Protein backbone atom coordinates (compact mmCIF):
# COMPACT_ATOMS: atom_id res chain seq x y z
CA UNK A 1 0.00 0.00 0.00
CA UNK A 2 2.86 2.36 0.88
CA UNK A 3 4.64 1.59 -2.40
CA UNK A 4 1.40 2.30 -4.32
CA UNK A 5 1.03 5.63 -2.56
CA UNK A 6 4.69 6.52 -3.26
CA UNK A 7 4.11 6.00 -7.00
CA UNK A 8 0.85 7.93 -7.03
CA UNK A 9 1.29 10.93 -9.33
CA UNK A 10 0.31 14.36 -8.03
CA UNK A 11 1.23 18.02 -8.53
CA UNK A 12 2.38 18.39 -4.92
CA UNK A 13 6.15 18.51 -4.33
CA UNK A 14 7.94 15.18 -4.12
CA UNK A 15 10.25 16.68 -1.55
CA UNK A 16 8.32 19.13 0.63
CA UNK A 17 11.40 20.30 2.56
CA UNK A 18 13.31 21.04 -0.63
CA UNK A 19 10.33 22.93 -2.04
CA UNK A 20 9.94 24.87 1.22
CA UNK A 21 13.61 25.87 1.10
CA UNK A 22 13.18 27.17 -2.46
CA UNK A 23 10.09 29.13 -1.42
CA UNK A 24 12.00 30.66 1.51
CA UNK A 25 14.73 31.72 -0.93
CA UNK A 26 12.12 33.29 -3.21
CA UNK A 27 10.68 35.26 -0.31
CA UNK A 28 14.14 36.50 0.69
CA UNK A 29 14.89 37.43 -2.91
CA UNK A 30 11.52 39.16 -3.29
CA UNK A 31 12.12 41.33 -0.22
CA UNK A 32 15.59 42.26 -1.51
CA UNK A 33 14.13 42.93 -4.98
CA UNK A 34 11.60 45.38 -3.52
CA UNK A 35 13.81 46.96 -0.86
CA UNK A 36 16.63 47.61 -3.34
CA UNK A 37 14.46 48.74 -6.25
CA UNK A 38 16.51 51.95 -6.68
CA UNK A 39 19.68 49.92 -7.25
CA UNK A 40 18.36 48.37 -10.45
CA UNK A 41 17.58 49.88 -13.82
CA UNK A 42 14.02 51.09 -13.89
CA UNK A 43 13.65 49.64 -17.41
CA UNK A 44 15.85 48.08 -20.06
CA UNK A 45 15.43 46.57 -23.49
CA UNK A 46 15.41 42.77 -23.63
CA UNK A 47 18.33 41.35 -25.68
CA UNK A 48 17.74 38.93 -28.51
CA UNK A 49 18.67 35.82 -26.52
CA UNK A 50 16.12 36.70 -23.83
CA UNK A 51 13.41 37.37 -26.42
CA UNK A 52 14.17 34.03 -28.05
CA UNK A 53 13.72 32.23 -24.72
CA UNK A 54 10.01 33.09 -24.91
CA UNK A 55 9.63 31.46 -28.31
CA UNK A 56 10.32 27.88 -27.23
CA UNK A 57 7.60 25.26 -27.52
CA UNK A 58 5.30 23.76 -24.91
CA UNK A 59 7.24 21.95 -22.15
CA UNK A 60 5.96 18.39 -22.10
CA UNK A 61 8.30 16.96 -19.47
CA UNK A 62 9.11 18.12 -15.92
CA UNK A 63 11.97 20.45 -15.05
CA UNK A 64 13.63 20.91 -11.71
CA UNK A 65 11.91 23.74 -9.81
CA UNK A 66 15.29 25.31 -9.00
CA UNK A 67 16.09 25.46 -12.72
CA UNK A 68 12.75 27.09 -13.46
CA UNK A 69 13.47 29.69 -10.80
CA UNK A 70 16.92 30.36 -12.25
CA UNK A 71 15.31 31.01 -15.63
CA UNK A 72 12.92 33.46 -13.97
CA UNK A 73 15.87 35.27 -12.40
CA UNK A 74 17.73 35.51 -15.71
CA UNK A 75 14.97 36.19 -18.23
CA UNK A 76 12.16 37.89 -16.31
CA UNK A 77 13.23 39.73 -13.15
CA UNK A 78 15.79 42.07 -14.83
CA UNK A 79 13.20 43.34 -17.34
CA UNK A 80 10.27 44.72 -15.34
CA UNK A 81 7.65 47.22 -16.43
CA UNK A 82 9.16 49.45 -13.77
CA UNK A 83 6.14 50.53 -11.75
CA UNK A 84 7.68 49.42 -8.44
CA UNK A 85 10.34 52.07 -8.96
CA UNK A 86 9.81 55.52 -7.41
CA UNK A 87 10.53 57.19 -10.77
CA UNK A 88 7.75 55.42 -12.64
CA UNK A 89 5.40 58.20 -13.75
CA UNK A 90 4.13 56.73 -17.02
CA UNK A 91 0.78 54.96 -17.02
CA UNK A 92 -1.19 55.52 -13.87
CA UNK A 93 -0.21 52.66 -11.54
CA UNK A 94 0.43 52.14 -7.87
CA UNK A 95 3.73 50.76 -6.61
CA UNK A 96 2.46 47.91 -4.44
CA UNK A 97 2.69 47.10 -0.75
CA UNK A 98 4.35 44.20 1.04
CA UNK A 99 1.13 43.48 2.94
CA UNK A 100 -0.63 43.37 -0.44
CA UNK A 101 1.89 40.78 -1.61
CA UNK A 102 1.26 38.75 1.54
CA UNK A 103 -2.46 38.95 0.86
CA UNK A 104 -2.01 37.73 -2.70
CA UNK A 105 0.20 34.91 -1.45
CA UNK A 106 -2.42 33.66 0.99
CA UNK A 107 -5.18 34.21 -1.56
CA UNK A 108 -3.33 31.80 -3.85
CA UNK A 109 -2.76 29.29 -1.05
CA UNK A 110 -6.42 29.32 0.02
CA UNK A 111 -7.47 29.50 -3.65
CA UNK A 112 -11.21 30.04 -3.12
CA UNK A 113 -13.74 30.96 -5.77
CA UNK A 114 -15.42 34.21 -4.73
CA UNK A 115 -18.50 33.60 -6.85
CA UNK A 116 -20.38 32.75 -3.69
CA UNK A 117 -20.69 30.42 -0.74
CA UNK A 118 -20.52 30.48 3.03
CA UNK A 119 -16.81 30.85 3.80
CA UNK A 120 -14.45 33.42 5.27
CA UNK A 121 -13.18 34.81 1.96
CA UNK A 122 -16.71 35.92 1.09
CA UNK A 123 -16.95 37.80 4.38
CA UNK A 124 -13.59 39.49 3.80
CA UNK A 125 -14.78 40.80 0.44
CA UNK A 126 -18.05 41.98 1.95
CA UNK A 127 -16.08 43.92 4.55
CA UNK A 128 -13.71 45.46 2.00
CA UNK A 129 -16.66 46.56 -0.14
CA UNK A 130 -18.24 48.11 2.96
CA UNK A 131 -15.00 50.01 3.59
CA UNK A 132 -15.03 51.35 0.02
CA UNK A 133 -18.63 52.48 0.47
CA UNK A 134 -17.53 54.27 3.65
CA UNK A 135 -14.68 56.00 1.80
CA UNK A 136 -16.95 57.43 -0.94
CA UNK A 137 -19.71 58.13 1.61
CA UNK A 138 -22.24 55.69 0.17
CA UNK A 139 -24.91 54.16 2.41
CA UNK A 140 -24.35 50.71 3.90
CA UNK A 141 -27.39 49.52 1.88
CA UNK A 142 -25.49 50.05 -1.39
CA UNK A 143 -24.12 47.04 -3.23
CA UNK A 144 -20.60 46.56 -4.47
CA UNK A 145 -18.22 44.20 -6.20
CA UNK A 146 -14.47 43.81 -6.52
CA UNK A 147 -13.48 43.47 -10.16
CA UNK A 148 -10.32 43.41 -12.25
CA UNK A 149 -9.99 47.18 -12.53
CA UNK A 150 -11.57 50.44 -13.57
CA UNK A 151 -12.60 49.23 -17.01
CA UNK A 152 -14.74 46.42 -15.65
CA UNK A 153 -16.00 48.58 -12.78
CA UNK A 154 -17.21 51.23 -15.24
CA UNK A 155 -18.77 48.60 -17.49
CA UNK A 156 -20.68 47.02 -14.61
CA UNK A 157 -22.03 50.37 -13.40
CA UNK A 158 -23.03 51.45 -16.89
CA UNK A 159 -24.82 48.15 -17.49
CA UNK A 160 -26.89 48.79 -14.37
CA UNK A 161 -27.58 52.36 -15.51
CA UNK A 162 -28.76 51.15 -18.91
CA UNK A 163 -31.07 48.50 -17.46
CA UNK A 164 -32.53 50.68 -14.72
CA UNK A 165 -33.13 53.72 -16.94
CA UNK A 166 -34.18 52.02 -20.19
CA UNK A 167 -37.84 52.12 -19.18
CA UNK A 168 -38.53 48.45 -19.92
CA UNK A 169 -37.15 44.97 -19.16
CA UNK A 170 -34.07 45.14 -21.32
CA UNK A 171 -32.76 41.74 -20.17
CA UNK A 172 -35.86 39.99 -21.48
CA UNK A 173 -36.61 42.06 -24.55
CA UNK A 174 -33.19 43.29 -25.61
CA UNK A 175 -32.73 46.72 -27.16
CA UNK A 176 -36.01 47.81 -28.73
CA UNK A 177 -34.76 51.04 -30.22
CA UNK A 178 -31.20 52.22 -30.08
CA UNK A 179 -32.03 55.66 -28.70
CA UNK A 180 -30.41 55.49 -25.26
CA UNK A 181 -27.69 58.07 -24.64
CA UNK A 182 -24.80 58.38 -22.16
CA UNK A 183 -22.84 61.61 -21.67
CA UNK A 184 -19.26 62.35 -20.66
CA UNK A 185 -16.54 64.85 -21.48
CA UNK A 186 -14.12 64.62 -24.39
CA UNK A 187 -11.51 63.73 -21.75
CA UNK A 188 -13.41 60.60 -20.67
CA UNK A 189 -11.44 57.36 -20.46
CA UNK A 190 -11.65 55.07 -23.49
CA UNK A 191 -13.03 52.19 -21.40
CA UNK A 192 -16.31 54.08 -21.14
CA UNK A 193 -16.58 54.20 -24.93
CA UNK A 194 -15.94 50.46 -25.06
CA UNK A 195 -18.59 49.88 -22.41
CA UNK A 196 -21.24 51.82 -24.34
CA UNK A 197 -20.36 49.89 -27.50
CA UNK A 198 -20.56 46.55 -25.69
CA UNK A 199 -23.91 47.54 -24.19
CA UNK A 200 -25.27 47.64 -27.73
CA UNK A 201 -25.57 51.40 -28.08
CA UNK A 202 -22.69 51.94 -30.48
CA UNK A 203 -20.15 54.73 -30.30
CA UNK A 204 -22.96 57.20 -31.04
CA UNK A 205 -24.55 56.19 -27.72
CA UNK A 206 -21.90 58.22 -25.86
CA UNK A 207 -22.13 61.96 -26.47
CA UNK A 208 -18.79 63.59 -25.70
CA UNK A 209 -19.13 67.11 -24.37
CA UNK A 210 -16.48 69.81 -24.84
CA UNK A 211 -14.33 70.77 -21.87
CA UNK A 212 -13.34 74.04 -20.24
CA UNK A 213 -9.81 75.43 -20.21
CA UNK A 214 -9.09 73.34 -17.11
CA UNK A 215 -10.26 70.19 -18.97
CA UNK A 216 -13.41 69.71 -16.87
CA UNK A 217 -16.72 69.08 -18.59
CA UNK A 218 -18.53 72.21 -19.77
CA UNK A 219 -21.80 72.17 -17.83
CA UNK A 220 -23.65 74.58 -20.14
CA UNK A 221 -22.72 72.51 -23.19
CA UNK A 222 -23.85 69.37 -21.36
CA UNK A 223 -27.25 70.84 -20.54
CA UNK A 224 -27.71 72.05 -24.12
CA UNK A 225 -26.84 68.64 -25.60
CA UNK A 226 -29.31 66.86 -23.33
CA UNK A 227 -32.12 69.19 -24.43
CA UNK A 228 -31.22 68.80 -28.11
CA UNK A 229 -31.24 65.02 -27.77
CA UNK A 230 -34.60 64.99 -26.02
CA UNK A 231 -36.05 67.15 -28.78
CA UNK A 232 -34.64 64.72 -31.34
CA UNK A 233 -36.47 61.80 -29.71
CA UNK A 234 -33.45 60.30 -27.96
CA UNK A 235 -33.56 59.05 -24.37
CA UNK A 236 -30.79 60.44 -22.15
CA UNK A 237 -30.12 57.96 -19.34
CA UNK A 238 -26.74 58.62 -17.74
CA UNK A 239 -24.05 61.24 -17.21
CA UNK A 240 -20.52 60.03 -16.46
CA UNK A 241 -18.54 62.43 -14.31
CA UNK A 242 -14.79 61.94 -14.12
CA UNK A 243 -12.88 62.37 -10.88
CA UNK A 244 -9.41 62.55 -12.33
CA UNK A 245 -9.02 62.47 -16.11
CA UNK A 246 -6.22 60.32 -17.40
CA UNK A 247 -4.59 63.13 -19.39
CA UNK A 248 -4.44 65.90 -16.81
CA UNK A 249 -6.11 64.71 -13.60
CA UNK A 250 -9.02 67.13 -13.98
CA UNK A 251 -12.03 66.62 -11.70
CA UNK A 252 -15.43 67.43 -13.17
CA UNK A 253 -17.88 69.55 -11.20
CA UNK A 254 -19.59 66.55 -9.64
CA UNK A 255 -22.12 68.60 -7.69
CA UNK A 256 -23.28 70.37 -10.85
CA UNK A 257 -23.62 67.04 -12.67
CA UNK A 258 -25.60 65.62 -9.74
CA UNK A 259 -27.98 68.57 -9.99
CA UNK A 260 -28.57 67.92 -13.69
CA UNK A 261 -29.16 64.22 -13.08
CA UNK A 262 -31.68 65.00 -10.34
CA UNK A 263 -33.52 67.48 -12.55
CA UNK A 264 -33.54 65.22 -15.62
CA UNK A 265 -33.99 61.90 -13.76
CA UNK A 266 -30.71 60.54 -15.11
CA UNK A 267 -28.29 58.04 -13.63
CA UNK A 268 -25.17 59.72 -12.23
CA UNK A 269 -22.04 57.60 -12.56
CA UNK A 270 -18.56 58.68 -11.48
CA UNK A 271 -15.52 57.20 -13.18
CA UNK A 272 -13.24 57.46 -10.17
CA UNK A 273 -10.61 55.00 -11.34
CA UNK A 274 -7.90 57.58 -10.73
CA UNK A 275 -9.28 59.96 -8.14
CA UNK A 276 -12.17 58.50 -6.12
CA UNK A 277 -9.88 56.88 -3.57
CA UNK A 278 -8.48 60.38 -2.95
CA UNK A 279 -11.48 60.90 -0.69
CA UNK A 280 -8.87 59.71 1.84
CA UNK A 281 -6.81 62.86 1.22
CA UNK A 282 -7.61 66.06 3.09
CA UNK A 283 -6.27 68.00 0.08
CA UNK A 284 -8.37 66.34 -2.63
CA UNK A 285 -11.57 65.43 -0.77
CA UNK A 286 -13.08 68.95 -1.06
CA UNK A 287 -12.58 68.80 -4.84
CA UNK A 288 -14.63 65.58 -4.95
CA UNK A 289 -17.71 67.17 -3.40
CA UNK A 290 -20.76 65.58 -5.02
CA UNK A 291 -19.32 62.08 -5.41
CA UNK A 292 -21.52 60.97 -2.51
CA UNK A 293 -24.56 61.96 -4.61
CA UNK A 294 -23.65 59.56 -7.44
CA UNK A 295 -25.71 56.46 -8.21
CA UNK A 296 -22.52 54.49 -8.82
CA UNK A 297 -18.76 54.93 -8.54
CA UNK A 298 -15.92 52.99 -10.16
CA UNK A 299 -12.54 52.80 -8.41
CA UNK A 300 -9.14 51.32 -9.21
CA UNK A 301 -7.47 50.08 -6.03
CA UNK A 302 -4.24 49.15 -7.83
CA UNK A 303 -3.68 52.82 -8.58
CA UNK A 304 -3.56 55.28 -5.67
CA UNK A 305 -4.27 52.62 -3.03
CA UNK A 306 -1.14 50.78 -4.24
CA UNK A 307 -2.59 47.28 -4.32
CA UNK A 308 -0.78 44.68 -6.43
CA UNK A 309 -2.59 44.12 -9.72
CA UNK A 310 -5.38 43.49 -10.17
CA UNK A 311 -8.27 44.91 -8.14
CA UNK A 312 -10.94 47.50 -8.82
CA UNK A 313 -14.31 48.12 -7.23
CA UNK A 314 -17.78 49.26 -8.26
CA UNK A 315 -20.33 50.49 -5.73
CA UNK A 316 -23.99 51.02 -6.61
CA UNK A 317 -26.66 52.68 -4.48
CA UNK A 318 -29.52 50.79 -6.15
CA UNK A 319 -28.55 47.32 -4.94
CA UNK A 320 -31.75 45.80 -6.33
CA UNK A 321 -31.10 47.27 -9.77
CA UNK A 322 -27.51 46.03 -9.57
CA UNK A 323 -28.60 42.50 -8.74
CA UNK A 324 -31.38 42.48 -11.34
CA UNK A 325 -28.85 43.40 -14.03
CA UNK A 326 -26.58 40.40 -13.45
CA UNK A 327 -28.32 37.76 -11.34
CA UNK A 328 -28.92 34.39 -12.99
CA UNK A 329 -29.24 31.28 -10.82
CA UNK A 330 -29.19 27.91 -12.60
CA UNK A 331 -29.92 24.72 -10.70
CA UNK A 332 -26.25 24.08 -9.97
CA UNK A 333 -26.00 27.45 -8.18
CA UNK A 334 -29.16 27.24 -6.09
CA UNK A 335 -28.54 28.38 -2.54
CA UNK A 336 -29.11 26.26 0.55
CA UNK A 337 -30.14 27.40 4.00
CA UNK A 338 -27.21 25.50 5.55
CA UNK A 339 -23.69 24.45 4.63
CA UNK A 340 -21.18 25.84 2.13
CA UNK A 341 -23.85 26.81 -0.42
CA UNK A 342 -25.81 28.98 2.00
CA UNK A 343 -25.88 32.75 2.12
CA UNK A 344 -28.06 35.35 0.46
CA UNK A 345 -25.93 37.64 -1.69
CA UNK A 346 -23.44 35.78 -3.81
CA UNK A 347 -21.04 37.99 -5.72
CA UNK A 348 -21.75 36.06 -8.93
CA UNK A 349 -25.12 37.83 -8.93
CA UNK A 350 -23.54 41.28 -9.20
CA UNK A 351 -21.20 40.93 -12.16
CA UNK A 352 -20.26 38.87 -15.20
CA UNK A 353 -17.85 36.50 -13.48
CA UNK A 354 -18.73 33.31 -11.67
CA UNK A 355 -15.09 32.36 -11.14
CA UNK A 356 -13.56 35.17 -9.10
CA UNK A 357 -10.14 35.42 -7.48
CA UNK A 358 -9.84 36.32 -3.78
CA UNK A 359 -8.85 39.92 -4.59
CA UNK A 360 -10.11 41.30 -1.30
CA UNK A 361 -7.46 39.78 0.97
CA UNK A 362 -4.60 42.06 -0.10
CA UNK A 363 -6.83 45.12 0.37
CA UNK A 364 -8.03 43.85 3.75
CA UNK A 365 -4.50 43.16 5.01
CA UNK A 366 -3.06 46.43 3.68
CA UNK A 367 -5.78 48.63 5.15
CA UNK A 368 -5.56 46.82 8.48
CA UNK A 369 -1.77 47.19 8.61
CA UNK A 370 -1.47 50.81 7.47
CA UNK A 371 -4.87 52.36 8.17
CA UNK A 372 -6.77 54.61 5.80
CA UNK A 373 -5.24 57.80 7.20
CA UNK A 374 -1.73 56.75 6.19
CA UNK A 375 -2.91 56.02 2.66
CA UNK A 376 -4.51 59.46 2.67
CA UNK A 377 -1.20 61.04 3.67
CA UNK A 378 0.59 59.22 0.85
CA UNK A 379 -1.97 60.61 -1.63
CA UNK A 380 -1.59 64.13 -0.24
CA UNK A 381 2.18 63.90 -0.48
CA UNK A 382 1.96 62.95 -4.15
CA UNK A 383 -0.21 66.02 -4.76
CA UNK A 384 2.39 68.20 -3.02
CA UNK A 385 5.09 66.59 -5.16
CA UNK A 386 3.14 67.39 -8.33
CA UNK A 387 3.14 71.06 -7.37
CA UNK A 388 6.84 70.81 -6.51
CA UNK A 389 7.51 69.54 -10.04
CA UNK A 390 5.25 72.26 -11.43
CA UNK A 391 7.28 74.88 -9.56
CA UNK A 392 10.52 73.47 -11.02
CA UNK A 393 9.01 73.78 -14.50
CA UNK A 394 7.87 77.36 -13.89
CA UNK A 395 11.34 78.36 -12.65
CA UNK A 396 12.92 77.68 -16.06
CA UNK A 397 12.15 79.71 -19.15
CA UNK A 398 12.86 76.71 -21.39
CA UNK A 399 10.18 74.59 -19.71
CA UNK A 400 6.43 75.18 -19.78
CA UNK A 401 3.33 73.61 -18.28
CA UNK A 402 0.89 72.48 -20.97
CA UNK A 403 -2.12 72.01 -18.68
CA UNK A 404 -3.17 72.97 -15.17
CA UNK A 405 -1.90 70.49 -12.58
CA UNK A 406 -4.74 68.10 -11.81
CA UNK A 407 -4.34 66.22 -8.54
CA UNK A 408 -1.00 64.48 -9.11
CA UNK A 409 -0.57 64.80 -12.90
CA UNK A 410 1.88 67.27 -14.43
CA UNK A 411 2.09 67.87 -18.19
CA UNK A 412 5.03 69.93 -19.45
CA UNK A 413 7.46 70.24 -22.33
CA UNK A 414 10.91 71.51 -23.17
CA UNK A 415 10.64 74.63 -25.33
CA UNK A 416 13.91 76.47 -26.03
CA UNK A 417 12.09 78.81 -28.43
CA UNK A 418 12.33 79.38 -32.20
CA UNK A 419 11.05 75.87 -33.08
CA UNK A 420 7.87 74.98 -34.95
CA UNK A 421 5.14 72.88 -33.34
CA UNK A 422 6.20 69.80 -35.29
CA UNK A 423 9.83 70.32 -34.29
CA UNK A 424 8.86 70.78 -30.63
CA UNK A 425 6.72 67.65 -30.68
CA UNK A 426 9.53 65.58 -32.20
CA UNK A 427 12.07 67.03 -29.77
CA UNK A 428 10.01 66.29 -26.66
CA UNK A 429 9.16 62.80 -27.86
CA UNK A 430 12.85 62.06 -28.29
CA UNK A 431 13.67 63.54 -24.87
CA UNK A 432 11.05 61.30 -23.28
CA UNK A 433 12.34 58.19 -25.06
CA UNK A 434 15.97 58.88 -24.16
CA UNK A 435 15.11 59.42 -20.49
CA UNK A 436 13.44 56.00 -20.64
CA UNK A 437 16.22 54.27 -22.58
CA UNK A 438 18.92 55.68 -20.33
CA UNK A 439 16.97 54.27 -17.35
CA UNK A 440 16.79 57.69 -15.69
CA UNK A 441 13.02 57.56 -15.17
CA UNK A 442 9.82 56.45 -16.85
CA UNK A 443 7.73 59.55 -17.51
CA UNK A 444 4.57 59.27 -19.53
CA UNK A 445 3.37 61.28 -22.47
CA UNK A 446 0.25 62.66 -24.08
CA UNK A 447 -0.80 65.22 -26.68
CA UNK A 448 -2.85 68.21 -25.54
CA UNK A 449 -4.18 70.74 -28.04
CA UNK A 450 -1.75 69.35 -30.61
CA UNK A 451 1.24 69.70 -28.26
CA UNK A 452 3.21 66.56 -27.36
CA UNK A 453 4.20 66.78 -23.71
CA UNK A 454 5.94 64.83 -20.99
CA UNK A 455 3.27 63.67 -18.56
CA UNK A 456 4.12 62.65 -15.01
CA UNK A 457 1.45 60.77 -13.05
CA UNK A 458 2.90 60.79 -9.56
CA UNK A 459 1.37 57.88 -7.67
CA UNK A 460 4.32 56.22 -5.93
CA UNK A 461 4.67 56.06 -2.16
CA UNK A 462 8.45 55.74 -2.64
CA UNK A 463 9.16 58.90 -4.68
CA UNK A 464 11.01 61.92 -3.24
CA UNK A 465 11.42 65.52 -4.40
CA UNK A 466 15.02 64.74 -5.39
CA UNK A 467 13.67 62.41 -8.07
CA UNK A 468 11.99 65.37 -9.78
CA UNK A 469 15.15 67.43 -9.51
CA UNK A 470 16.90 64.68 -11.44
CA UNK A 471 14.11 64.51 -14.03
CA UNK A 472 14.23 68.24 -14.80
CA UNK A 473 18.04 68.18 -14.92
CA UNK A 474 17.92 65.29 -17.39
CA UNK A 475 15.34 67.02 -19.60
CA UNK A 476 17.69 69.99 -19.94
CA UNK A 477 20.80 67.89 -20.61
CA UNK A 478 19.16 65.70 -23.24
CA UNK A 479 17.25 68.60 -24.76
CA UNK A 480 20.45 70.58 -25.30
CA UNK A 481 22.19 67.53 -26.72
CA UNK A 482 19.43 67.14 -29.29
CA UNK A 483 19.34 70.77 -30.42
CA UNK A 484 21.13 71.43 -33.73
Amino acid sequence: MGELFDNYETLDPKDWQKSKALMHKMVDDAFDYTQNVRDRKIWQEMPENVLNSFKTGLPTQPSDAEDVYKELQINVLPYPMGNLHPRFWAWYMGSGTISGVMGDFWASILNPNLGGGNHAAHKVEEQVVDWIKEIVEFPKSASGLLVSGGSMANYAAMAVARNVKAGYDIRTEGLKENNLVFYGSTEIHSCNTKAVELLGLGTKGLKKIKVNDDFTINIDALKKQIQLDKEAGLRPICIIGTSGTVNTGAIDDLDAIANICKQENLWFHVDGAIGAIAMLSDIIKPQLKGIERADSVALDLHKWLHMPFEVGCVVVKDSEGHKDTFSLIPEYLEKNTRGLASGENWFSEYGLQLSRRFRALKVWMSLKEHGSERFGRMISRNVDQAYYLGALVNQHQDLELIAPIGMDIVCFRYNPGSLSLDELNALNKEIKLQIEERAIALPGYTTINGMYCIRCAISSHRVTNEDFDELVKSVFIIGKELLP
Side-chain angles (χ1 to χ4, degrees):
M1 185 69 178
E3 182 180 349
L4 177 64
F5 184 78
D6 290 341
N7 293 328
Y8 187 77
E9 194 167 32
T10 177
L11 298 177
D12 283 334
K14 286 186 176 180
D15 186 334
W16 283 91
Q17 291 305 313
K18 184 179 179 182
S19 185
K20 183 192 290 187
L22 178 60
M23 189 66 180
H24 277 295
K25 175 173 171 49
M26 288 187 184
V27 170
D28 288 340
D29 291 347
F31 268 73
D32 291 342
Y33 187 87
T34 305
Q35 182 179 357
N36 302 317
V37 64
R38 283 185 179 271
D39 298 338
R40 298 189 310 276
K41 286 186 176 182
I42 185 171
W43 180 86
Q44 61 179 328
E45 195 78 53
M46 286 178 282
E48 197 67 29
N49 66 304
V50 171
L51 290 171
N52 288 336
S53 73
F54 299 114
K55 298 176 183 178
T56 56
L58 173 71
T60 59
Q61 298 302 314
S63 298
D64 189 83
E66 285 86 350
D67 292 338
V68 176
Y69 182 48
K70 286 177 185 175
E71 187 172 350
L72 170 74
Q73 291 175 302
I74 294 170
N75 293 336
V76 178
L77 298 184
Y79 308 100
M81 188 176 205
N83 52 301
L84 268 66
H85 198 283
R87 292 186 187 174
F88 184 93
W89 308 310
W91 299 295
Y92 207 106
M93 301 178 189
S95 43
T97 65
I98 292 298
S99 47
V101 171
M102 294 174 180
D104 258 353
F105 168 75
W106 272 108
S108 294
I109 293 293
L110 289 168
N111 201 29
N113 183 347
L114 264 290
N118 180 13
H119 52 100
H122 189 96
K123 294 302 178 185
V124 170
E125 180 158 342
E126 282 183 344
Q127 186 170 39
V128 167
V129 170
D130 281 344
W131 290 345
I132 300 301
K133 288 185 281 187
E134 188 175 340
I135 289 170
V136 298
E137 299 183 354
F138 266 35
K140 195 83 177 281
S141 59
S143 56
L145 184 72
L146 295 186
V147 292
S148 58
S151 295
M152 187 53 70
N154 281 308
Y155 172 82
M158 292 164 70
V160 179
R162 182 199 65 174
N163 286 19
V164 170
K165 293 296 185 180
Y168 62 96
D169 186 351
I170 203 167
R171 283 193 70 175
T172 301
E173 301 184 40
L175 286 172
K176 289 182 177 179
E177 294 182 31
N178 194 356
N179 66 342
L180 307 179
V181 184
F182 286 75
Y183 300 87
S185 82
T186 53
E187 292 292 297
I188 203 166
H189 194 279
S190 60
C191 71
N192 294 286
T193 303
K194 287 185 180 182
V196 171
E197 292 171 354
L198 288 170
L199 290 170
L201 307 182
T203 304
K204 67 182 179 64
L206 175 60
K207 296 292 181 75
K208 294 186 178 180
I209 309 301
K210 70 178 183 179
V211 293
N212 302 311
D213 292 341
D214 62 358
F215 299 97
T216 61
I217 192 168
N218 185 294
I219 297 298
D220 290 336
L222 173 61
K223 291 178 180 178
K224 183 177 180 180
Q225 187 63 56
I226 291 171
Q227 293 309 312
L228 288 173
D229 289 343
K230 288 167 66 177
E231 292 168 8
L234 300 177
R235 185 184 178 96
I237 60 171
C238 176
I239 302 175
I240 305 166
T242 301
S243 65
T245 60
V246 71
N247 270 337
T248 67
I251 301 172
D252 287 333
D253 187 338
L254 303 181
D255 243 351
I257 295 174
N259 290 338
I260 297 172
C261 289
K262 183 178 181 180
Q263 180 180 346
E264 299 288 347
N265 191 27
L266 306 181
W267 187 279
F268 177 24
H269 172 62
V270 173
D271 178 357
I274 288 178
I277 201 66
M279 287 286 283
L280 295 174
S281 163
D282 293 337
I283 295 176
I284 299 297
K285 185 175 180 178
Q287 300 176 44
L288 296 170
K289 187 176 182 296
I291 196 171
E292 75 284 351
R293 299 174 63 190
D295 294 291
S296 55
V297 178
L299 305 93
D300 244 342
L301 307 185
H302 49 235
K303 286 187 170 67
W304 232 348
L305 202 66
H306 302 292
M307 292 301 103
F309 280 96
E310 57 184 26
V311 56
C313 185
V314 59
V315 287
V316 181
K317 280 183 181 168
D318 183 354
S319 57
E320 184 177 348
H322 189 181
K323 190 172 184 178
D324 287 346
T325 298
F326 292 104
S327 181
L328 181 64
I329 305 176
E331 64 278 2
Y332 47 83
L333 293 178
E334 288 183 1
K335 302 180 187 69
N336 296 326
T337 57
R338 297 163 53 200
L340 178 61
S342 61
E344 286 299 316
N345 293 312
W346 288 17
F347 289 118
S348 58
E349 296 185 74
Y350 292 89
L352 286 173
Q353 290 180 284
L354 174 57
S355 298
R356 301 179 64 254
R357 176 172 169 77
F358 190 11
R359 298 183 179 102
L361 189 55
K362 55 193 169 191
V363 186
W364 189 82
M365 290 183 68
S366 291
L367 282 170
K368 278 184 171 289
E369 178 186 355
H370 298 293
S372 63
E373 291 183 359
R374 177 178 289 175
F375 280 104
R377 290 194 296 272
M378 298 299 100
I379 292 170
S380 295
R381 188 172 69 192
N382 286 157
V383 175
D384 290 338
Q385 289 167 333
Y387 282 91
Y388 177 82
L389 174 56
L392 291 179
V393 170
N394 287 329
Q395 286 169 13
H396 297 280
Q397 64 177 14
D398 289 348
L399 296 179
E400 58 182 346
L401 289 174
I402 299 303
I405 296 172
M407 295 194 303
D408 56 336
I409 298 179
V410 183
C411 297
F412 71 99
R413 69 176 178 176
Y414 177 66
N415 184 1
S418 69
L419 295 177
S420 69
L421 177 61
D422 288 343
E423 289 170 331
L424 277 174
N425 286 349
L427 174 61
N428 279 275
K429 184 175 183 179
E430 185 61 26
I431 291 172
K432 186 267 178 194
L433 287 171
Q434 290 207 22
I435 288 173
E436 186 175 305
E437 290 168 343
R438 298 185 192 187
I440 297 167
L442 275 175
Y445 61 92
T446 191
T447 300
I448 298 174
N449 295 327
M451 296 177 283
Y452 182 98
C453 56
I454 298 169
R455 169 186 168 275
C456 291
I458 304 164
S459 56
S460 171
H461 58 81
R462 301 186 177 107
V463 65
T464 67
N465 287 350
E466 288 75 15
D467 291 308
F468 303 111
D469 295 336
E470 187 63 31
L471 170 67
V472 170
K473 175 184 172 183
S474 299
V475 168
F476 273 112
I477 291 173
I478 296 172
K480 289 179 179 178
E481 288 175 358
L482 293 172
L483 286 176

